[in-house]
Amino acid sequence: MAVRAAVLPAVGAPLEITGIELPEPGPGRVRVRLAAAGVCHSDLSLSDGTMRLPVPAVLGHEGAGTVVAVGEGVTHVAPGDGVVLNWAPSCGTCPACARGEVWLCADALAGAAEVHARRADDGTDLYPGLNVAAFAEETVVPASCVLPAPDGVPLTDAALLGCAVLTGYGAVHHSARVRPGETVAVFGVGGVGLAALQSARIAGASTIVAVDVSPEKEELARSAGATEYLVASDTTARRIRALTGKEGVDVAVECVGRAATIRTAWESTRRGGRTTVVGIGGKDQQVTFNALEIFHWGRTLSGCVYGNSDPARDLPVLAEHIRTGRLDLGALVTEHIALDGIPAAFDTMLAGKGGRALVVF
Ligand SMILES: [Zn+2]
Ligand SMILES: [Zn+2]
């Protein structure tokens, strides 16, 4: 039986909402009926070719749903269980996994090169985008891409855990390691940026500056924990230093992936502070530093993959923050849409508007 899905036919082509045929879950695989899926900037990056993975593909990598069937050997979930999809599964044996850095697993995207489904209309092979193909009513994924959903969290909220929240929370807690009383600036108020703002609040940051190109996101940013809101301009770094006793922030988190924003985040960081880059930019985004300033400022500049998160370890921690109300997943969502609303959600993202758009099935 065919299910509806958002398919990217080729890089640069518009998404098509069409029927796909999924295989029965074989050994070690799980079939999931999606409850909701978030529209992430990385889906846009796959569709425009900034990130390259095999196509044609079913996009969507941030989702949650209910297990409908499991293949042989799957024991950690059973039909009827709520699950969160994990687009970056870890193999457990590569050098990164052996070091405990599962977010850097060498095999994380191996599944993206395996045929996932077929188009119902013409039988074309389809790949699973970032492994989990969440822009579909149902998906079949490796068991390692499925984590039990936390108790007491609605699946429509839990969908956001799989990318935006793990990434934004992890950037603040694992990469930048924000301590109580520190000052933080977050650049880019999308789904990840909003999760980073809430996480800075959870960490006990004192001043939390949100920066975005859009003046319309101020209320959204403030409700996520921002104590200051700046519309990005040539003077952003100077204004952030003015807000922090001329020092600069202890921690700057860049959620955009553009050379100019990375440079501004770096210049907004105090001497000896930490700049964490979460945004995924293209190869054309060259950032330059002169040797003297690297010495003089003594800052640490870090890349951050998937929030340096271990989903199995971090989901229970996030669930506790949700249950106590410190983390408000509903506040990240600015739009509830159907599957055929994804192309318009891409346009909204391109225009720099909104937080997370959530596909509700
Ligand atoms: Zn994502
Ligand atoms: Zn590995």
Side-chain angles (χ1 to χ4, degrees):
M1 195 187 69
V3 298
R4 294 174 75 234
V7 171
L8 176 71
V11 170
L15 288 188
E16 286 179 30
I17 311 303
T18 188
I20 63 167
E21 303 273 3
L22 291 163
E24 287 305 309
R29 299 180 80 85
V30 179
R31 183 165 180 137
V32 176
R33 180 177 302 130
L34 272 296
V39 182
C40 175
H41 205 275
S42 301
D43 296 307
L44 188 58
S45 299
L46 285 173
S47 78
D48 69 15
T50 303
M51 287 168 71
R52 291 273 180 179
L53 285 171
V55 289
V58 180
L59 297 188
H61 61 277
E62 179 182 88
T66 305
V67 174
V68 288
V70 297
E72 205 184 309
V74 176
T75 54
H76 76 302
V77 292
D81 287 355
V83 291
V84 174
L85 297 177
N86 169 26
W87 63 262
S90 47
C91 70
T93 56
C94 74
C97 285
R99 290 192 302 268
E101 297 173 341
V102 295
W103 55 94
L104 301 178
C105 176
D107 283 338
L109 288 176
E114 289 172 21
V115 172
H116 167 75
R118 294 200 157 74
R119 279 183 75 119
D121 53 3
D122 61 9
T124 308
D125 284 343
L126 299 171
Y127 295 92
L130 284 166
N131 282 326
V132 294
F135 289 165
E137 291 164 331
E138 295 190 17
T139 187
V140 175
V141 295
S144 55
C145 289
V146 162
L147 297 160
D151 288 337
V153 180
L155 287 175
T156 43
D157 285 350
L160 299 172
L161 291 171
C163 188
V165 178
L166 276 174
T167 303
Y169 178 87
V172 167
H173 285 262
H174 301 318
S175 181
R177 297 175 186 271
V178 174
R179 297 182 287 265
E182 286 195 313
T183 54
V184 176
V186 174
F187 293 78
V189 182
V192 172
L194 287 167
L197 288 168
Q198 288 200 29
S199 302
R201 180 169 63 189
I202 290 170
S206 52
T207 299
I208 304 175
V209 188
V211 184
D212 197 276
V213 291
S214 167
E216 292 158 25
K217 293 188 185 176
E218 176 162 0
E219 200 183 319
L220 199 58
R222 287 191 184 273
S223 68
T227 59
E228 310 286 341
Y229 187 83
L230 301 180
V231 177
S233 74
D234 293 348
T235 60
T236 300
R238 202 183 313 153
R239 285 184 290 158
I240 287 176
R241 285 198 296 274
L243 287 168
T244 48
K246 296 186 182 161
E247 281 281 291
V249 284
D250 296 302
V251 168
V253 181
E254 202 270 0
C255 306
V256 180
R258 290 182 58 86
T261 323
I262 293 167
R263 195 56 230 195
T264 304
W266 155 269
E267 288 171 13
S268 303
T269 305
R270 68 162 166 81
R271 260 187 118 177
R274 289 99 74 200
T275 310
T276 294
V277 178
V278 186
I280 303 172
K283 289 178 181 169
D284 60 328
Q285 297 294 310
Q286 293 286 338
V287 192
T288 56
F289 305 94
N290 69 56
L292 183 62
E293 67 180 344
I294 291 172
F295 160 76
H296 171 78
W297 292 101
R299 295 164 177 146
T300 303
L301 176 69
S302 311
C304 176
V305 175
Y306 204 7
N308 298 4
S309 294
D310 176 348
R313 174 199 65 195
D314 294 340
L315 279 190
V317 176
L318 292 171
E320 191 53 28
H321 286 315
I322 296 165
R323 283 192 286 266
T324 56
R326 289 189 290 264
L327 188 59
D328 177 5
L329 299 186
L332 271 54
V333 178
T334 45
E335 209 183 353
H336 292 88
I337 60 174
L339 205 49
D340 52 18
I342 296 172
F346 277 11
D347 292 340
T348 306
M349 261 192 298
L350 271 174
K353 293 181 181 160
R356 218 29 150 210
L358 187 70
V359 181
V360 180
F361 293 93

